[in-house]
Structures are given as C-alpha cells and as structure tokens.
Amino acid sequence: MKPLYYATALVTALAGPALSQQSNPAKTGLSEPVIRLTATLNKNQDVIGLDAAQKEDVKNWVATMPAHRKALEDETVALRAEMKAAIVSGAPVEARQALADKIGANEVKLVMMRSNCTDHWREVLSPDQFSKLIELASAM
C-alpha cells in the first residue's frame, strides 16, 4: 500500500505546478497566435490605409471573433483540467483517450481560427495593405 501512496503523492506533486498553469490560457500558449494580425491591424488602421468599409470590418471582427476564440480556449482549459483529474485518479484509458481526442480537436480548431483570420484579412485588404500588415506584425 505504501508504494501506491508514494506514487500518488509523487504524481500529484509533479503534476500540480505544471497543470496549475492550465487555468490561464495565456500561460498555456492557447492564446498565443500563430501570427499577430488582427491586433496589429486594429492598431495600425491609418498606417495601413484602411478605408471606411475596411475599418467597419475590423470593428465588427474585433467585436465578435475574440469572444469565440476565448470560449474555445476556456473549454480546452477545462478539458485539460478534466484530463489531469482522470490521470491522477487512474481513469480508464478509454476515458482518457476520449478527453485527449477532444483536446486535440479543440487545438486544431484554435489553430484554424487563426488561419481563417488570416484568410479573412487577405480578402478584406488589398495585396499592398496585406503586405504592410504582415510587415508590421512581423516586427512585433
């Protein structure tokens, strides 16, 4: 019985600090964009030379899309916490695999949200504006 107790204590001690970061998406890397376009575009609308329609598009995008991303990030953080509990409690492999599959699917969605965001700005901006945006974002 002692070895099981010590193993559980060790797993909990080692997992605690690493997994405690998962309550904050910024610390997990979930919030880290593949490329920082929207924030750069929002801050540099005049430098990039946006017209009124483009500025309205940016305004609408910023008002809605970050909330969608945040909701998915929060769900993924919750799934990771569930996975931690499943690992520590010795849940069946099938249950842990199902959680891992959900976490993986959410990670893919998050990356594709960033990719789709880039496609959106590529459509909204002229080629010259988009090039300027990439240049500014790369400097950050």
Side-chain angles (χ1 to χ4, degrees):
M1 188 57 108
K2 277 188 177 180
L4 179 58
Y5 171 77
Y6 290 127
T8 303
L10 180 62
V11 167
T12 304
L14 293 175
L19 293 171
S20 69
Q21 292 180 355
Q22 293 179 358
S23 63
N24 182 343
K27 290 183 181 179
T28 64
L30 290 174
S31 293
E32 191 63 32
V34 175
I35 185 169
R36 295 184 183 281
L37 294 185
T38 302
T40 303
L41 180 60
N42 196 29
K43 291 176 186 171
N44 294 284
Q45 293 181 30
D46 293 329
V47 173
I48 295 170
L50 299 188
D51 62 27
Q54 290 170 321
K55 287 180 180 183
E56 185 66 23
D57 192 286
V58 171
K59 179 182 169 186
N60 292 335
W61 188 271
V62 170
T64 58
M65 296 311 289
H68 292 294
R69 185 197 75 245
K70 177 84 170 90
L72 187 57
E73 288 171 350
D74 290 347
E75 178 184 316
T76 306
V77 168
L79 287 169
R80 286 179 176 196
E82 230 180 293
M83 177 62 101
K84 172 192 169 189
I87 291 168
V88 171
S89 70
V93 172
E94 297 79 18
R96 288 180 279 147
Q97 183 63 55
L99 284 169
D101 290 345
K102 289 178 188 177
I103 292 167
N106 280 9
E107 294 284 356
V108 169
K109 287 177 188 175
L110 285 165
V111 171
M112 288 310 298
M113 279 181 165
R114 299 291 186 183
S115 178
N116 294 338
C117 177
T118 302
D119 290 341
H120 176 76
W121 297 131
R122 189 176 278 118
E123 290 174 15
V124 170
L125 304 176
S126 72
D128 288 341
Q129 288 173 321
F130 187 77
S131 293
K132 183 68 175 174
L133 173 59
I134 295 295
E135 179 186 321
L136 290 169
S138 297
M140 297 183 120

